Amino acid sequence: MGRIIGIDLGTCNSCMAVLENGKPVIIPNKEGKNTTPSIVTFNKDGSIDVGETAQRKAVLQPERTSVSIKRTMGSDFKLSIDGKDYTPQEISAMILKKLKTDAEKYLGEKVTEAVITVPAYFNDAQRQATKDAGRIAGLDVKRIINEPTAAALAYGLNTDSSETIAVYDLGGGTFDISILDIDDGVFEVLASNGDTYLGGNDYDEIIVEFIKKKLKKKYRYTPDAIGKERIKNAAEKAKRELSIKQVTEVRIPYLTDKVSLEMSVERVELEVMSSSLTNRTIKIIEKTIKEAELNEVDKIILVGGSTRMPLVFTALKNFFKKEPLKCVNPDEAVAIGAAIEADKLSGSCQLALTGKSDIVLLDITPFTLSTNLTNIGKAVPVIRKNSSIPCKNTVVFYNDFHDHTNVGVYQGESERYKENIKMGEINLPHPWSELGSRKVSITFSVDTNGIINATAKDLQTGKDMSCKLNFNSRMSDLQIEESKRKVLLLESK
Ligand SMILES: Nc1ncnc2c1ncn2[C@@H]1O[C@H](COP(=O)(O)OP(=O)(O)OP(=O)(O)O)[C@@H](O)[C@H]1O
Ligand SMILES: [Mg+2]
């Protein structure tokens, strides 16, 4: 059996790591880079490119290219290319397959098992979709772990003190904040929140709009698909430059034969235009500190490429009244943490051999899971937000049911079940001969991957009638095999 590798499957960039001689190391890709752009482009000859090559080709064939597919995980989004539809799981699998192949080349052995990270705030459908993407790519996903928790493991490698830390992870597409207590190798997540639609992409979008306004005003020009792609690239480049400069020039020559753009953007302009985004992250931190029942944290750890923006550093410094730390590599810490967990799961525990204490990870579920079995529209919490995982809880209802009981499973914090997100339902039939008042038990459980299961049982009849919750986002073995063939077909051409 080969080693289990750690994979950070990012919105913009993915990264892999593994334990070697008792130390986590990054696995470079075939191009020799530590991170791989999470981009897939579908060529007209039926082949695909993944990573850097895809990024280069994206400008020429934007409508045949998938970027930020992670933002659609768990949804029914489909990318249609040449009359064929591709799901987010299939496209993510194409990225994972490249990573797997590159890792095999680097390690000189087959890679069949992985720990994959997801944003802490990913819901069940998004986690399940990530697991399925792994299966399509031929990877047995041993565990799904939360990105900020993984980053905390990487940070913990170099500290022996006991402390509370806040991990602020602002990547390309998602924002996560987790507060952890680290004590003698035990990493306990106290509270976690986030926004799966808030990241560097949104800051880019603000500069894109700024540029577009200028183009419209000056040239009455509205960009086509290729123009849009060029503007997006220029905006991202400008954003990066503003992390080291106060002002930058944006140059996009020959958008048409009459339109060439040249303009400058100042750091302070970006700061003002994007302040509502940055403030959103601060509001989420406030809530998380409250939930962790703390007044302050000892350290603030920055993770994710977007934390390179000085505006993030300043906002955090103002809020916490202390400077956040740039002590882990913002692009690699999550993969390193995944490799540490992978090492532990593999049983080889190479870290322990180097004198590090055994690592215990106590993570939580970021949402309240409730059901709707009252007549007054109230959500009945079965598992509360911030419960340690794995966890399981049962509630019992007495009610006048008819020939079946319909149990809804909801995620969210509202007291009214209709305001929460419905994740699925169980239809529990009751035999006709046994109609009348019912006693029904409902059990929800969340496993170490953050994946939910729900069962309902008719206690009145004494019969063991339990149904498994059937989320429509979960792929069957047959569907996985079909997707595997579909992905294989693209590569072999
Ligand atoms: N120097 C920089 N200044 C500003 N932003 C930067 C800089 N370097 C990278 N970024 C931004 O960081 C983002 C990518 O970060 P990262 O690779 O951590 O995201 P990801 O892990 O792919 O996404 P996620 O964690 O949300 O899934 C991009 O939006 C990129 O523009
Ligand atoms: Mg990330």
Side-chain angles (χ1 to χ4, degrees), residues 148-316:
T149 315
L153 288 181
Y155 164 77
L157 211 56
N158 300 314
T159 177
D160 282 324
S161 52
S162 94
E163 54 197 13
T164 52
I165 63 167
V167 179
Y168 180 101
D169 182 357
L170 190 63
T174 60
F175 166 65
D176 270 335
I177 174 87
S178 287
I179 296 181
L180 293 98
D181 193 44
I182 307 180
D183 192 9
D184 199 22
V186 179
F187 291 71
E188 184 183 3
V189 182
L190 302 176
S192 198
N193 276 300
D195 189 329
T196 44
Y197 287 91
L198 175 55
N201 289 352
D202 301 290
Y203 288 81
D204 298 347
E205 209 41 51
I206 279 173
I207 306 180
V208 165
E209 287 308 314
F210 190 54
I211 295 174
K212 279 212 253 173
K213 239 184 228 162
K214 181 100 175 182
L215 284 168
K216 190 144 199 184
K217 200 165 158 200
K218 198 162 171 194
Y219 301 101
R220 303 198 166 278
Y221 166 77
T222 312
D224 58 5
I226 291 185
K228 274 189 196 150
E229 189 63 21
R230 291 183 66 199
I231 294 170
K232 204 176 87 195
N233 287 345
E236 204 251 351
K237 184 164 167 264
K239 177 188 74 176
R240 283 173 185 255
E241 282 175 1
L242 290 177
S243 293
I244 42 171
K245 295 199 258 178
Q246 293 294 339
V247 55
T248 185
E249 293 301 316
V250 180
R251 287 193 190 90
I252 318 177
Y254 296 108
L255 278 160
T256 69
D257 46 359
K258 290 195 186 75
V259 179
S260 289
L261 177 82
E262 239 179 84
M263 66 186 277
S264 57
V265 186
E266 291 181 30
R267 182 188 285 181
V268 56
E269 284 178 305
L270 173 62
E271 267 170 23
V272 171
M273 289 188 295
S274 64
S275 63
S276 64
L277 293 177
T278 319
N279 288 342
R280 256 165 73 193
T281 72
I282 299 292
K283 285 257 165 340
I284 298 174
I285 300 175
E286 266 178 336
K287 187 171 133 198
T288 314
I289 292 186
K290 231 184 240 154
E291 285 174 6
E293 297 175 10
L294 294 173
N295 295 321
E296 57 169 3
V297 293
D298 297 319
K299 307 240 169 85
I300 305 114
I301 316 295
L302 297 179
V303 185
S306 298
T307 59
R308 290 200 178 89
M309 288 188 289
L311 57 90
V312 166
F313 188 89
T314 313
L316 292 176

Side-chain angles (χ1 to χ4, degrees), residues 423-443:
M423 308 183 68
E425 63 182 25
I426 307 170
N427 258 313
L428 181 68
H430 305 299
W432 277 104
S433 56
E434 304 277 357
L435 290 183
S437 190
R438 292 283 161 188
K439 194 175 173 189
V440 172
S441 79
I442 295 162
T443 303

Side-chain angles (χ1 to χ4, degrees), residues 392-466:
K392 191 175 184 177
N393 195 30
T394 300
V395 289
V396 175
F397 285 89
Y398 293 87
N399 218 332
D400 290 328
F401 298 123
H402 304 290
D403 60 341
H404 70 279
T405 303
N406 193 268
V407 180
V409 181
Y410 292 84
Q411 165 202 298
E413 309 314 311
S414 174
E415 287 188 353
R416 300 190 62 77
Y417 76 82
K418 277 194 175 152
E419 288 167 7
N420 291 321
I421 296 172
K422 187 167 185 180
M423 308 183 68
E425 63 182 25
I426 307 170
N427 258 313
L428 181 68
H430 305 299
W432 277 104
S433 56
E434 304 277 357
L435 290 183
S437 190
R438 292 283 161 188
K439 194 175 173 189
V440 172
S441 79
I442 295 162
T443 303
F444 289 1
S445 64
V446 184
D447 69 11
T448 36
N449 300 308
I451 289 176
I452 301 158
N453 256 304
T455 52
K457 208 177 200 173
D458 185 334
L459 298 175
Q460 204 86 9
T461 57
K463 283 175 200 140
D464 198 22
M465 292 179 67
S466 57

Side-chain angles (χ1 to χ4, degrees), residues 318-336:
N318 290 341
F319 176 77
F320 284 102
K321 308 277 180 283
K322 63 176 87 165
E323 290 200 350
L325 302 179
K326 297 177 180 173
C327 55
V328 295
N329 183 317
D331 303 321
E332 299 172 1
V334 171
I336 295 279

